[in-house]
Structure formats: C-alpha cells, structure tokens
Amino acid sequence: MMQQETKDKIKRLIQETIRPTLLLDGGDIQLIEITDDGVVRVRLKGACAHCPFSAMTLALSVEDTLKKEIPQVTRVEPVQG
C-alpha cells in the first residue's frame, strides 16, 4: 500500500515540475488517480490532448520523471475524455 506521503510527493512533482513544462507548450496535465500499487492515472489536456506525440510525452517526460524521483511509481496511464 502506497503511503499518503508518497502520494503527496507525486502530486507536488506533477504540479511543480511536470505541469509548468507542459504549459509552456500549450498543454496541461490533470492528476486523476494514484493507486496503491503505484499506477498514476493522468489526463493530458490542451495541446497535449490531441498531439500525435502525447504518448511519447507521457512515457518520456511524465513517467520517466515520476519513476526517477519516486521509485514506488510503477507506471503512468492516460485517461481519455
């Protein structure tokens, strides 16, 4: 079970590090859920929602950043809509 402190760190990292980078390119990210087994579910918004490179952004930017900083993160999944 993932501790609340770790979940808070994930939220902070998305808000303070990942989100500002996406905003610079006209995109955005919304945290939907963090599961107890380390899956982070996010929704890409703005320019990122329809970008053909959104899967790469998710894998190379969001997932790599989270996994590097927080080893308990097992993967990042996109949520549509």
Side-chain angles (χ1 to χ4, degrees), residues 4-58:
Q4 186 60 44
E5 181 180 323
T6 303
K7 290 183 178 184
D8 290 343
K9 188 174 180 183
I10 292 168
K11 291 175 187 176
R12 201 168 38 253
L13 192 58
I14 288 174
Q15 188 65 29
E16 296 174 4
T17 303
I18 297 169
R19 190 165 182 256
T21 302
L22 295 178
L23 287 170
L24 288 173
D25 288 330
D28 202 355
I29 189 168
Q30 176 185 11
L31 176 63
I32 303 299
E33 177 184 22
I34 304 167
T35 68
D36 285 335
D37 59 345
V39 178
V40 178
R41 292 189 177 99
V42 298
R43 178 176 293 124
L44 294 176
K45 300 166 65 175
C48 291
H50 306 291
C51 175
F53 300 107
S54 63
M56 194 175 351
T57 297
L58 199 62

